[in-house]
Structure formats: C-alpha cells, structure tokens
Amino acid sequence: MKILSLISASILCASVSVVTTADGHGKGYPFKNEIQARMNVMNLYGYYLGELGAMAKGQSPYDADAATRAANNLLAMAKLDNTTMWPQGSDNSVPALDNKTRAKPEAWTTYPEIVDKHKALITAATTMAAEAGNGLDAVRANIGAVGQSCKGCHEAFRGPKLKGHSH
Ligand code: HEC
C-alpha cells in the first residue's frame, strides 16, 4: 500500500530533514515543529476515536452520520503522509529532547516494525469507516481493533508520559 511508505520515506530521508531543520527552528528545541505536528496528528486520532468511543459506551447517542464522519476522519488522519514529521534524531533518548517527545529510539532502530504498526491502524480504521454507519453494534464490534492498533504501536514505540502534560 503506497500510503505505508510514508514512515519509511521519513526515515530514509532523515538526513535531508536534519539539514533542512537543524537551524530552521532555532527557538525552542530540535525538531520542535515536526514533533508538535506529529503530536497534533495523534491528538486528532484521539479526538475521532473519542467520538466513536463515546457512542460505543453510550455516553453520546449513536448517530449513523456522526459515526461515519468520525470514522472517515480518523481514516483520513491515518492516511496522512506525515513523512516529514519523523526525522531521525527526534527521539526521547536525545538529551536536548528530554521531556519534549515520547517517541522511543526503537521507532527508528527496529524499522520497519513501526510501518507494520501503522498499517494495522489503517486496516482497523478502514473497517471502522466501512462499518460505522451500520449501527451501534457495528461501532462496538470494531472499536476494539482500532484501539488495539493504537496500543500496539504505543507499547512498542512510545515512552513514558511527559512531565507536566496530561497525555
Ligand atoms: C505507528 C505508531 C502509532 C500508532 C498507530 C498510533 N500512535 Fe499515538 N503515538 C505514537 C508515538 C511514537 C507517540 C509519541 C510521539 C511524540 O511524543 O513525539 C504517540 C503519541 C500519542 C499521543 C500523545 C500526543 C501528545 O500530545 O503528546 C496520543 C493522544 C496518541 N498517540 C493517540 C493515538 C491514538 C488514539 C491512536 C490510534 C487511533 C494512535 N495514537 C496510534 C505512535 C503511534
């Protein structure tokens, strides 16, 4: 699947990224823009999954259009080409990034394992997008797989919470 090459491209192009950003975002910390951008994507994943989760748990009423919209948006986010957001050297073992990123160096050192994790999210989100409009039971039947795909990547590649952050 072509989309899935996005992370591979980011890693292969890491040296390019370093060159273009090393002095580009002088204030703050290295790769600040890239790190914040990928966190923003993650938070949008969480937003849309949260909308579906609220329906699944009965905290908000099931609505076929709303469920389909949330699922389609989650899938669109998952398919974003975020190639430039994962430059090599932007992990939590880098001293300058202490408490700035939760991305573990294993995301790069075990490459392409992270691609498989991303693929699992796209697969689960694709099914959810197809099913979400088919009733509350369909949302409930598929939300676990989406959540597991998030968890699978986080367990492997996301480190401890940042101090002073809520997530
Ligand atoms: C392919 C791997 C991968 C997948 C799949 C994935 N995540 Fe993440 N997620 C990460 C990594 C790595 C970080 C840490 C990023 C950082 O701190 O630079 C993260 C961070 C987060 C954060 C914290 C963002 C912040 O502001 O600090 C949230 C929320 C999150 N993910 C939600 C989700 C949800 C919800 C899903 C599934 C719908 C998901 N993620 C799927 C790898 C993944």
Side-chain angles (χ1 to χ4, degrees), residues 100-120:
K100 301 299 184 194
T101 178
R102 296 173 67 182
K104 290 163 73 172
E106 285 80 2
W108 289 267
T109 58
T110 68
Y111 182 84
E113 285 184 23
I114 193 167
V115 177
D116 293 334
K117 305 294 189 190
H118 187 226
K119 191 177 184 175

Side-chain angles (χ1 to χ4, degrees), residues 38-39 42-43 45 101-102 150 153-154 157-158 167:
R38 72 197 186 203
M39 287 175 169
M42 290 292 163
N43 285 310
Y45 289 169
T101 178
R102 296 173 67 182
C150 312
C153 194
H154 291 160
F157 300 120
R158 186 172 73 164
H167 45 242

Side-chain angles (χ1 to χ4, degrees), residues 32-45:
K32 182 178 179 187
N33 288 0
E34 292 84 348
I35 290 167
Q36 290 187 340
R38 72 197 186 203
M39 287 175 169
N40 290 340
V41 171
M42 290 292 163
N43 285 310
L44 285 170
Y45 289 169

Side-chain angles (χ1 to χ4, degrees), residues 85 87 90 107-108 143 147:
M85 297 178 193
S90 65
W108 289 267
I143 198 159

Side-chain angles (χ1 to χ4, degrees), residues 69-84:
R69 187 163 52 237
N72 282 340
N73 287 342
L74 176 61
L75 179 59
M77 284 298 112
K79 285 183 169 180
L80 266 192
D81 184 340
N82 60 12
T83 297
T84 58

